[in-house]
Amino acid sequence: MTFEHLLECWRLEVSNKKKPGRLVSLLSNVLRRSRRDNKLRFLFSYRLAQYLDGKGGLARRYARGMQQRLNLKYALDIDIGAQIAPGLRIAHLPGVVITRHVRIGRNFFIRQNCTIGIKTLGLEHYALEIGDNVSLGANSCIIADRLRIGDNVVIGAMSLVTRDIPADTTFYNPRQATLLQR
C-alpha cells in the first residue's frame, strides 16, 4: 500500500470530504472524525496497520501487534493482509471476520456478524474475489476456496454463499416457512 492509497482510503472511509484537497486539511478532518466514532476510528487504525505492514521490517511487526489489539478492542477480525480497495464501510463492528485470502473491490458495505472465509486450510492458492459496489447483509457468510462475486451485487441477510454470483444480482437463500403444530 502506498501513501497515496492510504490517503485515498482515509478520504473515502473516514473523512467526509468528497474531493481531494490539501493534505493538512484532510489529515485534521480524519483525526477529528476518527476520535468521535468507533467505526471511523477502527477504519483509520486498520488502514494505518495495512500501510505499516506493507513497509516490512519493524513496521510489519508493529502492524501485526496493532492488528491483534484492534481485533480485541473492536470484537472483529479483519486481517491486514486482505486486499480491500478504498470505500470499505462497516455498519456495526462486532462479529465481522474477513480472511487474508480475499480481494475486495471498491465501496464494499458489510454488516454485523458476517464472515468471509476459506473452506479448506493449507491450499497453496485461494481465489476469493468480490467486485465493486457489493453489499453484504447481516449474519451472512461467504465460504469458499475459489469464488467470484461480480460488481453491483446485493447479498441478503442470513445468506450462505458458496458459489459464484454474477454481476448486477440480488442474492438470498430462500427460506421455507415452517408452521408449529400443537
Side-chain angles (χ1 to χ4, degrees), residues 110-149:
I110 188 168
R111 290 169 181 83
Q112 68 273 15
N113 299 321
C114 291
T115 299
I116 301 173
I118 57 174
K119 183 177 174 184
T120 310
L121 289 175
L123 294 180
E124 285 185 28
H125 181 68
Y126 298 95
L128 290 171
E129 295 182 21
I130 300 174
D132 296 338
N133 305 316
V134 174
S135 176
L136 186 59
N139 300 310
S140 296
C141 292
I142 299 173
I143 306 289
D145 295 329
R146 297 184 188 324
L147 179 103
R148 170 83 176 114
I149 296 175

Side-chain angles (χ1 to χ4, degrees), residues 14-117:
V14 181
S15 176
N16 59 355
K17 296 194 178 294
K18 301 298 179 202
K19 294 185 268 183
R22 292 186 8 223
L23 178 63
V24 173
S25 65
L26 174 65
L27 290 177
S28 65
N29 185 302
V30 164
L31 290 172
R32 183 176 41 81
R33 288 177 57 85
S34 66
R35 273 196 326 242
R36 296 180 185 167
D37 186 354
N38 266 350
K39 290 178 283 203
L40 299 180
R41 190 176 312 123
F42 170 78
L43 288 170
F44 171 81
S45 302
Y46 171 74
R47 290 302 189 173
L48 180 61
Q50 273 191 320
Y51 175 73
L52 292 174
D53 184 58
K55 290 292 186 190
L58 288 176
R60 174 169 285 153
R61 260 180 100 181
Y62 182 76
R64 294 294 171 178
M66 193 175 172
Q67 176 188 354
Q68 290 176 348
R69 289 187 299 276
L70 286 171
N71 291 349
L72 289 173
K73 182 176 182 178
Y74 295 104
L76 62 118
D77 186 6
I78 302 177
D79 197 290
I80 58 177
Q83 298 175 18
I84 303 174
L88 172 65
R89 292 178 297 148
I90 303 173
H92 300 287
L93 292 173
V96 174
V97 177
I98 299 178
T99 183
R100 72 175 22 250
H101 304 288
V102 68
R103 187 174 352 162
I104 299 175
R106 297 178 75 84
N107 303 321
F108 181 66
F109 185 45
I110 188 168
R111 290 169 181 83
Q112 68 273 15
N113 299 321
C114 291
T115 299
I116 301 173

